[in-house]
Each structure stands twice: as structure tokens, then as C-alpha cells.
């Protein structure tokens, strides 16, 4: 295992990052990191390219994904590491989520286009073939048209979940998600779960159920978790024996988040690698 910073949450252009998997790997090498996890939304399509780019670089790449789940009105993200990418349930369910995302994005674009001229083709032009479509691609098309200055402005205005243009997409429950990841030999970690402070969207009873189903950790060191949210998460991690991770949620130029702005300890990385049985680090 290499030394250097450990960042277990990054996105490539296979989902809503702005760099190809190879460019992302090269950016991590240039920044002197030791390990990254590639965690594109609901897709493993970048694994092969990342593995090829990482060979002979000394960078370790953990194959991963950020799985979308729905918890009532809230969208809950679960990081999954080292699962079997050919697991049938995983393949079927992520295909269903990506398909739901695609049609939902088309409907959001239809509504936005009434007020701000924009076409579906312009949105597709902002994404890679077969990639996971999300609101960031709509944001990029709005930026290209000059309707807004950057992704953040698009999210603040047209793409906010409270906006009249918004709609959700199909995703399994967090419990079904954790069970599916574990069944595929993977290691599930709740992504940025403390964004709303101490009155938290996931209650203690549900966390207990997720822990019983094999939830392995909580991503506590993340810029979107509030201070009071972090305090509550540390209590929950201790209570349920969950590991603590930290990561950047890097999206290239799509977000201000910089590689390794938050990191995970070598001990926690080792425990994740020891636990995952569906695939191996590149
Ligand atoms: P979606 O997957 O379509 O629900 O869109 C959510 C994605 O948009 C998240 O994965 C974030 O990476 C991205 N996102 C959310 N808020 C912002 C923001 N203010 N600026 C840039 N990207 C954002
Ligand atoms: Fe994202
Ligand atoms: Fe996320
Ligand atoms: Zn993410």
C-alpha cells in the first residue's frame, strides 16, 4: 500500500465530474495523493479506464460508486467500495436508477425551457455517452447558454430541489441499498450524512437498522456536513461501531471541492480493504 493522502470520494465525467477517469487519476498523482476511490454516481463505467491510468503511477485506486437512495422526500447517498461490478442485482438496480435519472432530467429541462431557452441536445452534449445524467449537466448547458455564470448559480436558481422545475427520480431505500452493496461483497459508507445539523434526516432507529444490515462507516469529514451534524455523527459512529471517513467529493471544475481537502486514515482504509470481497484495489 502506498503512502500519501487518502481521499475516498471523487467523481469523473462518467457521472458529474468534469475530468475523464484518466484525467482524474493524473490529477490525484500530480497532487501527491496515495489513494483515491472513484465513486461516480450509480455507475462503474469508469473503473477500467481509471485502473489503466493508475498502473505504474504508485497511486492506489479503490473501485467504488456513490449509490442514490430515496428516504422519504430526501435523497440519501451511499458510498460503496470494492463490490462485484457484475453482481446482477447491482447491475439491474443501477441501470434502473440511471434510466430514471435520464427521463427525470428530460422533464426538468422541458419545464426550464419554458422560461430559459435550452434544449435536451445541449444537455446531452455536456455528458458522456452512457454516463449518469444529473442536474449538473443541465447546469452546464445553462452556463453554456449564458443563463447563469456557473453550476452553483444554476443550483441556487433553476435546479434547487424547492424549485418548481424540480422532480425526484427512482432509487431504492437506504436499507435496500446497504443490503444490496453488502450482498455484492461491497463496503457501504453513508455519504455526507450530516448536512442538516442535529435535526437529522436519518433518525437513530434507521441508522441502527442500516448498521445491523452491514453499514460500515459514516463520511463525517466532508465540507457539506455542519458542525452540529458532525458532533451527532461522531456519537452515532461510537454507538454503532461505525468507522469514520473523510473525503473531498471532488468533481473537477464542477465544484470548489479540492482533492484531499478531507482525508481518511490509513487504518480505516485498511479495514475497508479487508472487508470488501467483491473486487480489489487497482
Ligand atoms: P442530481 O444527481 O441530479 O440529484 O444532482 C445532484 C448533484 O449535483 C450532486 O451529486 C452534486 O454533485 C451536484 N450539486 C449539488 N449542488 C451543487 C452546487 N451548488 N454546485 C455544483 N454542483 C452541485
Ligand atoms: Fe455529484
Ligand atoms: Fe453525494
Ligand atoms: Zn459525491
Amino acid at each position: 500500500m502506498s503512502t500519501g493522502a487518502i481521499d475516498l470520494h471523487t467523481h469523473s465525467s462518467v457521472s458529474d465530474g468534469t475530468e475523464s477517469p484518466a484525467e482524474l487519476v493524473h490529477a490525484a498523482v500530480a497532487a501527491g495523493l496515495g489513494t483515491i476511490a472513484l465513486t461516480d454516481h450509480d455507475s462503474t463505467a469508469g473503473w477500467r479506464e481509471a485502473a489503466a491510468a493508475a498502473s505504474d503511477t504508485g497511486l492506489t485506486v479503490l473501485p467504488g460508486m456513490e449509490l442514490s437512495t430515496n428516504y422519504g422526500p430526501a435523497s440519501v447517498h451511499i458510498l460503496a467500495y470494492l463490490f462485484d461490478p457484475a453482481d446482477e442485482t447491482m447491475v439491474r438496480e443501477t441501470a434502473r436508477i440511471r434510466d430514471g435519472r435520464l427521463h427525470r432530467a428530460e422533464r426538468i429541462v422541458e419545464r426550464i425551457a419554458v422560461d430559459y431557452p435550452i434544449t435536451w441536445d445541449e444537455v446531452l452534449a455536456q455528458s458522456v455517452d452512457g454516463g449518469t445524467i444529473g442536474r449538473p449537466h443541465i447546469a452546464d448547458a445553462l452556463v453554456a447558454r449564458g443563463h447563469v455564470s456557473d453550476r452553483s448559480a444554476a443550483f441556487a436558481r433553476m435546479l434547487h430541489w424547492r424549485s418548481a422545475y424540480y422532480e425526484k427520480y427512482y432509487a431504492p431505500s437506504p436499507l435496500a441499498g446497504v443490503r444490496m452493496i453488502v450482498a455484492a461483497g461491497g463496503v457501504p459508507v453513508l455519504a455526507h450524512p450530516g448536512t442538516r445539523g442535529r435535526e437529522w434526516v436519518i433518525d437513530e432507529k434507521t441508522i441502527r437498522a442500516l448498521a445491523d444490515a452491514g453499514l460500515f462507516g459514516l463520511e463525517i469529514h466532508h465540507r457539506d456536513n455542519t458542525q452540529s451534524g458532525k458532533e451527532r455523527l461522531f456519537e452515532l459512529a461510537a454507538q454503532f461501531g461505525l468507522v469514520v471517513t473523510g473525503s473531498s467529493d471532488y468533481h473537477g471544475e464542477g465544484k470548489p471541492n479540492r482533492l484531499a481537502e478531507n482525508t481518511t486514515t490509513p487504518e480505516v482504509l485498511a479495514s475497508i480493504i479487508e472487508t470488501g470481497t467483491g473486487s480489489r484495489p487497482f
Side-chain angles (χ1 to χ4, degrees):
M1 185 65 44
S2 51
T3 56
I6 298 160
D7 186 344
L8 299 184
H9 186 166
T10 70
H11 295 266
S12 78
S13 53
V14 160
S15 62
D16 54 3
T18 56
E19 295 164 342
S20 69
E23 287 167 344
L24 166 63
V25 163
H26 295 141
V29 171
L33 274 71
T35 303
I36 62 165
L38 176 64
T39 53
D40 277 310
H41 297 285
D42 308 308
S43 176
T44 60
W47 286 16
R48 188 190 298 256
E49 182 182 319
S55 71
D56 305 325
T57 64
L59 180 79
T60 299
V61 177
L62 235 60
M65 189 172 78
E66 186 173 13
L67 178 73
S68 303
T69 72
N70 281 335
Y71 182 70
S75 174
V76 169
H77 290 172
I78 305 176
L79 295 161
Y81 303 113
L82 297 167
F83 57 93
D84 175 5
D87 177 84
E88 270 181 44
T89 310
M90 205 80 178
V91 168
R92 190 181 60 237
E93 196 66 1
T94 52
R96 185 174 172 198
I97 296 170
R98 291 195 307 273
D99 188 62
R101 280 172 159 283
L102 188 69
H103 294 103
R104 163 261 204 174
E106 280 184 285
R107 289 188 292 268
I108 292 178
V109 169
E110 267 172 37
R111 285 182 211 122
I112 291 178
V114 173
D115 298 322
Y116 304 91
I118 178 183
T119 67
W120 179 240
D121 278 348
E122 288 165 12
V123 174
L124 285 183
Q126 299 295 337
S127 66
V128 303
D129 239 10
T132 304
I133 296 272
R135 283 175 286 165
H137 304 102
I138 305 174
D140 291 346
L142 289 165
V143 172
R145 272 280 189 149
H147 293 308
V148 287
S149 57
D150 58 15
R151 278 189 184 181
S152 296
F155 269 88
R157 288 174 58 193
M158 306 85 161
L159 297 172
H160 201 274
W161 64 272
R162 278 192 299 254
S163 142
Y165 308 124
Y166 182 78
E167 75 173 63
K168 284 168 61 94
Y169 54 92
Y170 166 78
S173 71
L175 185 58
V178 164
R179 286 186 174 141
M180 175 171 78
I181 292 163
V182 170
V187 184
V189 171
L190 266 190
H192 44 72
T195 56
R196 293 172 204 215
R198 292 184 75 87
E199 327 84 68
W200 197 28
V201 281
I202 296 201
D203 60 33
E204 189 174 313
K205 197 164 143 258
T206 305
I207 289 283
R208 180 186 300 276
L210 296 182
D212 287 347
L215 181 69
F216 196 74
L218 302 175
E219 185 187 54
I220 302 186
H221 304 290
H222 183 293
R223 66 157 69 203
D224 292 350
N225 290 330
T226 64
Q227 192 50 46
S228 60
K230 285 178 183 173
E231 284 160 18
R232 173 152 156 72
L233 290 169
F234 278 118
E235 291 164 11
L236 289 167
Q239 187 178 347
F240 296 116
L242 302 169
V243 305
V244 172
T245 71
S247 30
S248 66
D249 206 352
Y250 179 73
H251 283 67
E253 294 313 306
K255 273 188 166 183
N257 311 33
R258 293 300 90 193
L259 280 170
E261 66 176 28
N262 284 291
T263 59
T264 295
T265 65
E267 293 73 27
V268 167
L269 173 63
S271 69
I272 289 172
I273 291 176
E274 204 174 296
T275 305
T277 57
S279 55
R280 297 314 297 158
F282 307 135

